[in-house]
Every structure is written in C-alpha cells, then in structure tokens.
Amino acid sequence: MKKILIKCGGSVLDELTPDFFNSLKELQASEYQLIFVHGGGPDINKMLSLYQVEPEFHNGLRKTTKETLEIVELVLSGQTNRKLVGKLTENGLHAVGLNGSDGGCLQGKLIDEAALGFVGEITAVNDKVISILMEEGFIPVITPIAVNEEGQKLNINADYAAAAVAGAVAAETCIFVTDVPGIMVNGEVVPQMTKAEVEVYLEDGTIYGGMIPKVTSALSALDKGLESVMIVSGKTSFFTGTEWKGTNIIGKEMKNNE
Ligand SMILES: Nc1ncnc2c1ncn2[C@@H]1O[C@H](COP(=O)(O)OP(=O)(O)OP(=O)(O)O)[C@@H](O)[C@H]1O
Ligand SMILES: [Mg+2]
C-alpha cells in the first residue's frame, strides 16, 4: 500500500474543518495509508506563558532549556497529541498516539547545545512500532520527541521529524498541513515551486519564520526519494480524489514533455 506522511501543524489543530477530514477520507479511498506527525507551537507557547517563560526562536527553531523541554513534552504528548487523536477518532479514523521516544522510534542528536539547548535532529527512525500499528489498520500519530544515545530526550521540530519519518517508511508523499493555503509570494499562493525557487525565496526573506523548517524539510524529503511534497491548509479541502490544492514542491524543473 502507498504511504502518505501528514504533518499537522499546531498552528491549525484547533481550526481543522470537516473539509480537511473529508480530504483524509479521499486519501484512504485512494489506497493511501496515513501516518501523522504533529506540531504544537501555540499550545506550547500558551503553557510557557503560564510558567512565565519567554519563547525564543532561531531560524524557526525553539530554544529549549531543561525546563522548556519538560513543558514541551507535557504539552505535546499530554495535550496536543490527545487533541489530534481525538479529532481523528471523532471523524471515524482509527488513530493511536505514539511518543517519538517510545520503542526507540525517533533517535536523535543535539544540533547546537550552546545556541538551541535540547533541540535535536533525527539520526535514525526505528519504524517497528509504526509498522505494527499500520499492519493492524491503525493510523500512528507521532509526537516529535526523540531520544539520544545517552537517553536524553530531545525536542525535534515537527517538520524535521515528519520528513525523517516519511523517508524511513518510504512514503510516496509528505504533506505539511498548516494555517496558510501554501507558500505565498506577493500575497498569492504559488501552486508549484522548484528547489531553486525555494532557495531564492529563503535568501530574500519571502519565506521566513515557521515556513523555513517546512521548506528545508521538504527539500530533504525530496532528496530521500519522496515523489512529492505538498504544503496545504488544514482549514479547507486539500485533496478531492484527483486534484490537490496548495503548493507542490518539486526537486527539479519539469520539462514540458515529462
Ligand atoms: N512565504 C510564506 N508563505 C506562507 N506562510 C509563510 C511564508 N513565510 C513564512 N510564513 C509563515 O509560516 C507560518 C507557518 O509555520 P508555523 O510554524 O507558524 O506553523 P506550523 O508549522 O503549521 O505549526 P507548528 O509549528 O505548531 O507545528 C505561517 O503562518 C506564516 O506566518
Ligand atoms: Mg512550525
């Protein structure tokens, strides 16, 4: 069966519409097996403000002290993952939540402890538990927390985690669901963007903040052999069974006769 990795942004989790869930059902009807990775930026920020911790970002990555990490795991696993699994279940989809550090699923290493604290990148994905769930007809919903060789938990940007899992399970497509209808340039959604164009828009600041890890992960997913990467909105329909809505990022320029 074809697999599709869906990264659901925390930015849009509270605003997912029935049209969005219909698109998921269309994907299942098109014989896709679904796997989710979720973010949780707004939930984390809300909790950090209760604890009076100021959020701090570098190139879209959250600086994570020991205290922040505890809050991140508490919120992502205990609140955000529960919310998404609940919504999928309410919509008739059989989902099971999985913390990335469970069963050695997401393994990682620190990126730059001095600048970012306990922020990691994925070094390996053990897809055993993910595969067992899928074989039994469940949709895995993975929280982006990894563990390093010393057993230290790491906060992983959900976009990076999504691309790593997509590569590890040999997904055909990776979809980034967010609160905007795709990559916008001068106020318009761009339906298709090449790697070279993404690089220009990163350089000139048209792509900034939370969109940076998304496109960086998109490019690395394409390098790992995925056929396509989409950035779509969770507030509307993004797949009708035949047509996609959003921005399709492609690895190379297509020629007319390709
Ligand atoms: N060129 C662009 N087009 C569209 N959005 C952009 C662009 N550049 C930056 N952005 C920002 O990227 C944001 C999406 O990333 P963000 O990290 O906020 O959400 P998310 O990844 O869906 O959620 P989470 O980080 O909680 O998982 C948009 O809301 C927008 O503000
Ligand atoms: Mg984000």
Side-chain angles (χ1 to χ4, degrees), residues 7 9-11 39-41 57 60 157-159 178 209-214:
K7 187 269 174 163
S11 63
F57 287 89
N157 175 277
D159 298 327
T178 186
M211 195 54 78
I212 298 173
K214 229 176 286 303

Side-chain angles (χ1 to χ4, degrees), residues 102-114:
D102 291 345
C105 180
L106 302 183
Q107 290 150 33
K109 64 168 197 224
L110 292 163
I111 297 177
D112 178 353
E113 195 174 356

Side-chain angles (χ1 to χ4, degrees), residues 172-229:
E172 185 187 283
T173 305
C174 182
I175 304 177
F176 293 91
V177 180
T178 186
D179 62 346
V180 286
I183 302 180
M184 321 274 292
V185 175
N186 300 325
E188 305 264 351
V189 179
V190 179
Q192 198 173 64
M193 207 175 266
T194 61
K195 185 176 176 174
E197 286 167 328
V198 167
E199 280 160 1
V200 170
Y201 292 134
L202 280 170
E203 183 66 28
D204 73 9
T206 305
I207 292 175
Y208 60 90
M211 195 54 78
I212 298 173
K214 229 176 286 303
V215 294
T216 313
S217 321
L219 296 181
S220 94
L222 291 169
D223 284 343
K224 285 188 197 115
L226 264 77
E227 283 179 25
S228 74
V229 177

